[in-house]
Amino acid sequence: MTTTGEDHAAARGGPWWWARWRSAALDVGLALASALECAFEGVRFARDAGIPVAAGVVFGVLAGSALLVRRQWPIAVVLVSIAITPAQMGYLMGIVGLYTLAASELPRRIIGSLAGMSLVGMLIVMFVRVRQDMARGTWDLGDWFVPFAAITTAIGMTAPPLLLGLYVGARRRLMESLRERADSLERELMLLAERAEERAEWARNEERTRIAREMHDVVAHRVSLMVVHAAALQAVARKDPEKAVKNAVLVGDMGRQALTELREMLGVLRSGGGAARRGEPSVPLVAVAAAVAASRVVEEGEGPCLSELEELIGQSAAAGMVVDLSVEGDVRSYAAEIEQTAYRVVQEALTNVHKHAAGAKTHVRLAHRGSEIAMQVENEPPPEVGSASARLPSGGNGLVGMKERVAALGGVFVSGPTDAGGFRVSAVIPAVVAAV
């Protein structure tokens, strides 16, 4: 990972304001060199000014040592170098100070102003110095040499460190920007990975719920009827052998139907296992296999439909339930998922009657309306228990599954006890008429 912000601040390991020990060592070395330079030049300054040589040396050492704080206070270093320029000392401090100032984060107007002051100061000092040397006869050149030497020396002492500092500062800011951008992209990638994992987990949970709902709806009804017929078979086995044989046949048929539907669903799920064994990603495979298993009957048109509702009610009637069916409106075909959902709602409602209100009279109503289809299953209070009941277990998932199915199609599902002591299940689903 890259290092910026708080991590960059935590990586600082140097003393005081230095980020690294090597930076501190470099500044100490530059400050010593500048102090020695200014001390050497302070001897001549003391003689020209008529002050003790020791005072000039001390002054030079103190002035040159200002380079030690160039990273913390670059403006102060440049101002000190400008101030001691008339004493003809501090050339190293001026060059390093201008470079540090230009490479800093200070506004350009401040950098330009101080650089201009340094240029003017150096120009004046060099002009006076060259003129004095020529007056003493040190150099025998024309008058044109004085401004030429002053200008070239001032520009040579000011422009290179200034331009180099501007380049280094711009490059440093670019690298910092790229580092921050890399950190930002890394954080975004981590966030996207977390969100992808959350979506994958959500998809797995959704498909598990969908598979559980399908298996519950497919198997629970037939198994419940098998238990009811088995209880009836136990009750009439000795009194009415012929009826017992009939119930046994029904139990066998329903068991075979339940096994067939279960095998179909498990077969679809198992058919996707080859890709997983080849090392392909398992999450999309599970999602696809679950979706195929859940909607296979809808896509192939093999699922239950409303035309089989009378057969479903006949199976419940054969199990001893008193149930009547009433249909309102013009009977027509709907989209496969709508007919399957309507069928499953009625099927699960009848299963719940077998489980919780065995022997209760049940009314099934189906209404074909212009823009919707409505169904209602209502049972009366169960009779007093006078014989052994089937004692069917309940997992509490039937009503939840019905509500999820209806809500997935944009419908409304309501269930609850009636004032008479029974129970009512109602559902309304927006109708999409199947193409003929």
Side-chain angles (χ1 to χ4, degrees):
M1 290 181 60
T2 53
T3 304
T4 57
E6 296 180 358
D7 296 335
H8 182 70
R12 297 171 63 93
W16 296 339
W17 56 81
W18 286 285
R20 294 179 296 272
W21 279 98
R22 67 178 183 180
S23 299
L26 175 62
D27 288 355
V28 169
L30 290 174
L32 288 175
S34 178
L36 290 175
E37 178 204 356
C38 292
F40 178 77
E41 294 169 344
V43 175
R44 184 178 57 180
F45 169 71
R47 291 173 181 173
D48 294 341
I51 59 176
V53 175
V57 172
V58 171
F59 173 74
V61 170
L62 293 177
S65 300
L67 202 58
L68 189 67
V69 297
R70 70 182 184 95
R71 298 178 190 267
Q72 189 72 2
W73 297 293
I75 296 178
V77 174
V78 175
L79 289 176
V80 171
S81 68
I82 294 174
I84 64 176
T85 299
Q88 299 182 12
M89 62 174 63
Y91 297 109
L92 176 62
M93 182 170 58
I95 294 174
V96 177
L98 279 177
Y99 164 79
T100 306
L101 178 70
S104 66
E105 300 294 335
L106 293 172
R108 293 294 178 87
R109 62 178 182 276
I110 297 178
I111 297 175
S113 300
L114 292 176
M117 292 171 60
S118 178
L119 176 65
V120 172
M122 183 64 65
L123 180 65
I124 295 174
V125 170
M126 291 305 300
F127 185 88
V128 172
R129 182 175 179 178
V130 173
R131 191 177 184 85
Q132 289 176 349
D133 291 341
M134 291 188 65
R136 287 195 297 266
T138 304
W139 297 335
D140 189 13
L141 297 172
D143 294 339
W144 61 269
F145 183 73
V146 176
F148 172 77
I151 292 174
T152 54
T153 303
I155 294 177
M157 296 286 288
T158 304
L162 181 66
L163 295 177
L164 181 61
L166 291 174
Y167 168 75
V168 172
R171 185 175 181 275
R172 184 182 300 160
R173 286 187 291 271
L174 175 62
M175 295 301 295
E176 186 68 20
S177 174
L178 293 176
R179 188 180 297 115
E180 291 178 356
R181 186 176 300 178
D183 282 347
S184 177
L185 290 176
E186 187 174 4
R187 288 191 294 269
E188 290 180 2
L189 288 176
M190 292 177 62
L191 182 60
L192 289 175
E194 292 176 358
R195 290 181 177 176
E197 181 62 26
E198 292 176 357
R199 286 194 297 268
E201 183 64 26
W202 177 83
R204 286 192 291 266
N205 292 335
E206 285 293 314
E207 296 307 330
R208 290 192 193 102
T209 303
R210 191 173 181 181
I211 293 173
R213 183 171 64 244
E214 288 293 331
M215 295 186 69
H216 176 274
D217 291 343
V218 168
V219 179
H221 177 73
R222 301 194 184 281
V223 173
S224 299
L225 291 180
M226 289 170 59
V227 175
V228 171
H229 282 291
L233 178 62
Q234 181 182 4
V236 302
R238 296 182 180 179
K239 299 179 181 179
D240 192 349
E242 184 177 348
K243 187 175 182 180
V245 173
K246 182 179 179 181
N247 287 339
V249 173
L250 289 174
V251 171
D253 292 340
M254 291 178 184
R256 282 186 290 272
Q257 292 175 359
L259 286 175
T260 300
E261 293 176 349
L262 184 58
R263 284 195 195 97
E264 289 179 356
M265 181 171 291
L266 294 179
V268 174
L269 287 173
R270 191 177 292 111
S271 64
R277 288 190 294 270
R278 291 192 299 269
E280 297 178 4
S282 60
V283 172
L285 178 60
V286 172
V288 171
V292 172
S295 58
R296 179 175 181 267
V297 292
V298 176
E299 293 175 352
E300 298 180 0
E302 299 176 357
C305 55
L306 293 177
S307 61
E308 302 174 10
L309 207 56
E310 293 185 358
E311 180 182 354
L312 175 67
I313 294 175
Q315 293 174 355
S316 295
M321 178 187 294
V322 180
V323 54
D324 62 79
L325 171 65
S326 62
V327 180
E328 302 175 2
D330 296 331
V331 178
R332 60 187 187 275
S333 299
Y334 300 93
E337 62 270 17
I338 294 178
E339 293 210 7
Q340 182 184 5
T341 299
Y343 181 93
R344 295 300 190 196
V345 169
V346 176
Q347 181 188 58
E348 181 59 30
L350 293 176
T351 303
N352 287 342
V353 175
H354 285 294
K355 290 181 179 180
H356 308 293
K361 186 176 181 179
T362 306
H363 306 276
V364 179
R365 300 180 180 88
L366 185 66
H368 300 273
R369 300 170 184 171
S371 60
E372 61 188 17
I373 178 173
M375 64 229 63
Q376 183 182 90
V377 179
E378 180 180 349
N379 63 274
E380 298 178 358
E384 295 294 332
V385 179
S387 60
S389 63
R391 294 192 299 273
L392 294 170
S394 176
N397 297 316
L399 295 176
V400 175
M402 284 189 283
K403 185 175 182 180
E404 290 175 349
R405 282 181 176 278
V406 174
L409 298 178
V412 178
F413 178 84
V414 179
S415 63
T418 62
D419 296 336
F423 198 84
R424 179 188 299 119
V425 172
S426 302
V428 179
I429 304 175
V432 178
V433 179
V436 179

